Amino acid sequence: MTQVKVRLDRAMETSLLTLYGKALDAAMTPSILHDRLAAEIVAKIDYDFAGIKGMNERVAPNAAARSKHFDDWTREFLAAQPAATVVQLGCGLDTRAWRVDPGPAVGWHDVDFPDVIAVRRKLFPTRPGYQMIESSVTSPSWLAAIPTDRPVFVLAEGLTMYLSPTEGHELFRRVIDHFGHGTIAFDTHSRLGVRLVNIALKRAFGRALLHWGVNRAAEVDAIDPRLHRVDALSALLAPSALSLPTSSKLLIPVVRHFPPLRDLGQYFRYTF
Ligand SMILES: C[S@@+](CC[C@H](N)C(=O)[O-])C[C@H]1O[C@@H](n2cnc3c(N)ncnc32)[C@H](O)[C@@H]1O
C-alpha cells in the first residue's frame, strides 16, 4: 500500500498523537474504543508514529477513555434528538462520526484548520450528512456554514486548552449567539495540567502548545449567563475511567481526595 506522507505543524500535529492512541487501543485486548478505522488510517499514513514521545500502549487507554466519554455523551444526545446537528470543533483526525454512526436525520460538521481537513479529505471515507469545514475555530466565518434549524450538540474534545482564554470565551459566546439553544460538551485542563502537558509536548514536538487552563467550573459558568452547567466531572472519576486498565486506576482512590490532582482534566456539559 502506498502511504500518504503527512506533516502537520504546531497544534495540528497533536491530532496524529490522539489518532495513534486510538489505533493502539484498537489493537489491545480489551480495547476501550474499538476504533478500527483509526487503525486503518494510521496504516495509510507515512509518519513516525512510533517515534512520538508521550504516546504508547501505556498511555493509549487514557486517550481512548476520553473519546469514549464524548462518544457516550454524543450518543445520549442523539438518542433524545434523532434529528439534530452535531458540530465537532478541533476534530483533528478523530473518527467519531463513524464510531457513533448517527442516523440519516443528523447533519454532522467537523471543523479544524485547513491542513488537518486536507489530510481528512485524502484519508477518510465519506458518509451521508457529513461535512468538513476548514477554519480556525477562532474565526467567526465557520458558523455561517452550519444551519440552525435543528437541536445542536457542539463538541470540543482536546481543543479548549489550545486556545487563549479570550479566544475560548469568544468562541463560546459566538456559538451561543449563532445557535440560540443547544448543548456544548468539552474537556479542559487545569492550569497545573496545562503546565504539565506543555512539558510533555515540548518533549514530543519541541514546543509548548497549551494556553487556557480551567481550575473550577465557576470559571466556565462566568463566561456567559446563558450557559447552564449540566455536568462537571474529573476525567479520572468519569464513568469512562472504569474501562481503564487496573494499573492506570491504582491511584484514583488516593487522587480523588486531592482536587489539584483530581481535576487535572475535567469533562463539562452545558446547555444554553
Ligand atoms: C489534541 S488534538 C484533538 C483532536 C481530536 N479532537 C481528538 O480528540 O482526537 C487538538 C486539535 O485541535 C485543533 N485545533 C487547535 N486549535 C485550533 C483552532 N484554533 N481551530 C481549529 N482547530 C484547532 C488542532 O488542529 C488539533 O487537530
Side-chain angles (χ1 to χ4, degrees):
M1 179 187 15
T2 318
Q3 289 185 310
V4 173
K5 198 172 189 143
V6 172
R7 297 293 175 265
L8 291 167
D9 241 6
R10 302 181 302 277
M12 292 181 287
E13 192 166 13
T14 63
S15 62
L16 290 159
L17 180 132
T18 46
L19 173 71
Y20 183 49
K22 289 163 205 167
L24 287 176
D25 167 73
M28 289 163 82
T29 310
S31 163
I32 295 174
L33 210 54
H34 305 282
D35 194 338
R36 287 208 307 277
L37 180 56
E40 284 168 26
I41 292 167
V42 162
K44 288 185 199 162
I45 294 180
D46 171 2
Y47 177 83
D48 182 16
F49 285 103
I52 303 179
K53 295 190 186 76
M55 183 51 73
N56 50 47
E57 287 186 344
R58 197 177 46 77
V59 182
N62 295 306
R66 183 177 81 173
S67 292
K68 177 176 171 7
H69 187 88
F70 287 98
D71 284 5
D72 290 346
W73 272 355
T74 310
R75 288 192 186 101
E76 190 184 313
F77 183 88
L78 293 178
Q81 306 283 0
T85 296
V86 176
V87 182
Q88 188 170 220
L89 302 174
C91 60
L93 301 174
D94 180 76
T95 67
R96 175 159 291 115
W98 287 263
R99 292 196 303 271
V100 170
D101 194 19
V106 172
W108 188 296
H109 310 264
D110 273 350
V111 187
D112 208 302
F113 288 118
D115 288 0
V116 174
I117 298 296
V119 174
R120 292 184 76 94
R121 290 197 193 281
K122 275 190 209 144
L123 295 172
F124 281 56
T126 54
R127 51 177 296 135
Y130 177 75
Q131 184 196 17
M132 290 174 274
I133 302 174
E134 36 272 281
S135 173
S136 170
V137 299
T138 59
S139 147
S141 62
W142 61 270
L143 281 155
I146 305 184
T148 56
D149 57 341
R150 284 179 281 187
V152 67
F153 187 67
V154 181
L155 254 168
E157 179 189 355
L159 172 75
T160 62
M161 50 296 276
Y162 291 90
L163 308 176
S164 72
T166 305
E167 288 170 337
H169 294 192
E170 283 172 3
L171 171 64
F172 276 69
R173 289 193 205 106
R174 245 184 250 124
V175 163
I176 300 170
D177 288 344
H178 181 75
F179 293 106
H181 300 281
T183 299
I184 184 163
F186 55 96
D187 61 320
T188 59
H189 290 343
S190 66
R191 286 184 272 286
L192 174 61
V194 163
R195 283 210 295 278
L196 295 175
V197 176
N198 271 336
I199 293 169
L201 288 170
K202 266 190 202 154
R203 280 191 64 228
F205 302 120
R207 62 172 94 197
L209 295 165
L210 306 190
H211 306 285
W212 184 14
V214 171
N215 283 1
R216 282 178 300 280
E219 295 166 34
V220 180
D221 300 349
I223 294 174
D224 193 290
R226 294 170 291 177
L227 282 171
H228 306 289
R229 192 190 329 147
V230 180
D231 292 290
L233 289 172
S234 155
L236 289 173
L237 304 181
S240 53
L242 294 173
S243 50
L244 289 170
T246 310
S247 56
S248 308
K249 287 190 289 201
L250 284 177
L251 285 176
I252 293 179
V254 181
V255 160
R256 66 185 308 142
H257 301 294
F258 296 99
L261 297 181
R262 183 192 66 202
D263 297 338
L264 283 173
Q266 293 193 80
Y267 301 152
F268 289 105
R269 187 161 50 164
Y270 282 75
T271 55
F272 54 88

